[in-house]
Amino acid sequence: MKKIHILAVGGTIASVSSDPLSCTNYKTVLNGEEVLATLGREKLSGIADVTVEDIIRLDSASLTVGNWLTLAKRVSEVLESCDGVVITHGTDTMEETAYFLNLCVKSAKPVVLTGSMRPASAISSDAALNLYNAIVAAASDKLHNCGVMIAMNGVISAARDARKIHPTRPDAFTPVEMGCIATVTDSVVELFYRSAKRHTIGSEFDCRNYETLPEVRVLYAYADAPADWFDQCAAKNVSGIVIAGVGNGNLSSAWKRKVEELKGRITIVRCTRTNGFVNFNGSQDDDALGTVCGGNLSGQKARILLMFALAAKLPLAEIRRVFEQY
């Protein structure tokens, strides 16, 4: 049987509530073994030999870049002696953790994040089935060299493309434009495609090379959003800014002036607060502004990629290349 190691990081899947009807009022109290017990090891007979380790127990909204690096390095170590890794994780920032690992864990073996939208104590909890499906996915030969994945609600999404689009429903995760790469139904994995973007063993970034990463902030655009946010970033000596712009990564006249002022001082990436692709030199002149086009990455994922690019001390042309390839 395949050897699968679970790394427990807290979240709703490790939570219980005194009210079985509540899907929002609960506390994280379960350790990794207790999370696995909600499924039952006997259900994994013939699927995988599973070991469990508690590495972090936090609400995912409280995770830091330091936590990500700790997790990434442990995943890299564990993969040397097992066939795949499952990470039980809170759903709020699951897509960010998954993409972080996707960029810097150097292995073709499956790494699958899962969690639940309802605590184990809730009626119709999705915790046990999501965990089971994640283990099945991590043990599947079909999912080698697919990059880091998220398994939720029977759907397996590439880390790069998955987004949480609903705060409470079991079908909260979806790859908005790309579609899921695989499904798990009745213990059977069906693979549809592999992402053409660079990841894991094809990535130029390696978590073992970093103790920290440069600071990058995300600025979310809206009507009459203050332009002095850029001044605050400059005063804090942040290394990069990601703009979650309106429409096609569009900038207000006030924001555009600030971007022009910071040209050559802070690396700035244009993304959109909507779904879809931001075009290079499209509605904004990236060459004149000295900006990077974020493609269809969300602001939070563009932040992660920019942190790695800045840590590698890449010039602007190479950062643009990275955003095209990843």
Side-chain angles (χ1 to χ4, degrees):
M1 284 194 301
K2 296 295 182 69
K3 294 182 178 180
I4 303 300
H5 192 66
I6 297 175
L7 292 170
V9 187
T12 303
I13 196 169
S15 301
V16 296
S17 172
S18 59
D19 181 1
L21 295 176
S22 177
C23 294
T24 58
N25 184 17
Y26 46 79
K27 292 184 179 180
T28 300
V29 296
L30 304 179
N31 62 32
E33 282 288 353
E34 290 168 331
V35 170
L36 183 58
T38 65
L39 169 61
R41 283 184 177 273
E42 70 281 357
K43 295 183 179 65
L44 299 171
S45 177
I47 300 293
D49 178 11
V50 176
T51 52
V52 184
E53 174 185 346
D54 290 287
I55 183 167
I56 304 165
R57 195 186 300 183
L58 283 174
D59 183 311
S60 69
S62 297
L63 290 173
T64 66
V65 173
N67 293 142
W68 282 343
L69 285 168
T70 297
L71 180 60
K73 291 174 183 179
R74 184 58 184 147
V75 170
S76 297
E77 293 171 351
V78 167
L79 286 172
E80 294 178 4
S81 58
C82 72
D83 298 298
V85 167
V86 169
I87 300 170
T88 57
H89 195 288
T91 60
D92 285 350
T93 62
M94 183 186 290
E95 66 195 79
E96 293 173 67
T97 299
Y99 188 57
F100 186 94
L101 299 174
N102 196 56
L103 293 176
C104 69
V105 170
K106 308 293 285 183
S107 177
K109 296 176 181 178
V111 177
V112 184
L113 283 79
T114 193
S116 67
M117 299 305 298
R118 299 169 177 171
S121 55
I123 292 175
S124 298
S125 172
D126 54 336
L129 184 56
N130 283 346
L131 179 57
Y132 178 80
N133 286 342
I135 294 169
V136 169
S140 173
D141 291 331
K142 295 179 181 179
L143 297 182
H144 274 242
N145 201 27
C146 285
V148 176
M149 295 160 278
I150 290 176
M152 293 284 291
N153 202 40
V155 170
I156 300 174
S157 306
R160 185 190 185 278
D161 303 322
R163 292 197 186 188
K164 185 177 181 179
I165 61 169
H166 195 278
T168 57
R169 289 195 320 226
D171 62 344
F173 280 82
T174 181
V176 176
E177 289 188 289
M178 303 299 106
C180 65
I181 64 170
T183 58
V184 184
T185 306
D186 294 341
S187 306
V188 177
V189 174
E190 292 290 346
L191 174 65
F192 304 120
Y193 73 91
R194 288 180 172 86
S195 174
K197 296 293 187 178
R198 292 178 65 179
H199 58 74
T200 53
I201 57 172
S203 174
E204 63 205 83
F205 310 113
D206 188 333
C207 62
R208 294 168 292 190
N209 296 335
Y210 308 106
E211 296 300 324
T212 187
L213 292 173
E215 183 178 359
V216 175
R217 295 190 178 183
V218 180
L219 303 185
Y220 189 93
Y222 56 86
D224 204 25
D228 63 2
W229 286 348
F230 291 88
D231 300 323
Q232 295 169 26
C233 289
K236 291 289 186 179
N237 294 315
V238 304
S239 299
I241 295 172
V242 173
I243 296 172
V246 294
N248 190 18
N250 291 330
L251 310 175
S252 68
S253 57
W255 278 35
K256 187 174 181 179
R257 285 193 296 271
K258 291 297 182 181
V259 170
E260 291 169 339
E261 290 175 13
L262 294 175
K263 181 179 179 179
R265 295 170 54 196
I266 298 177
T267 304
I268 298 177
V269 176
R270 287 192 312 110
C271 292
T272 176
R273 69 181 194 181
T274 68
N275 298 317
F277 282 84
V278 172
N279 304 108
F280 182 74
N281 282 340
S283 59
Q284 304 292 314
D285 190 339
D286 290 296
D287 281 326
L289 292 170
T291 47
V292 177
C293 180
N296 72 331
L297 285 175
S298 63
Q300 56 268 33
K301 289 180 182 175
R303 168 183 174 253
I304 293 168
L305 183 54
L306 183 56
M307 286 193 294
F308 277 112
L310 293 173
K313 302 186 185 304
L314 299 179
L316 178 62
E318 282 294 284
I319 294 175
R320 286 173 171 166
R321 187 261 311 164
V322 162
F323 271 81
E324 289 178 0
Q325 294 181 347
Y326 292 81

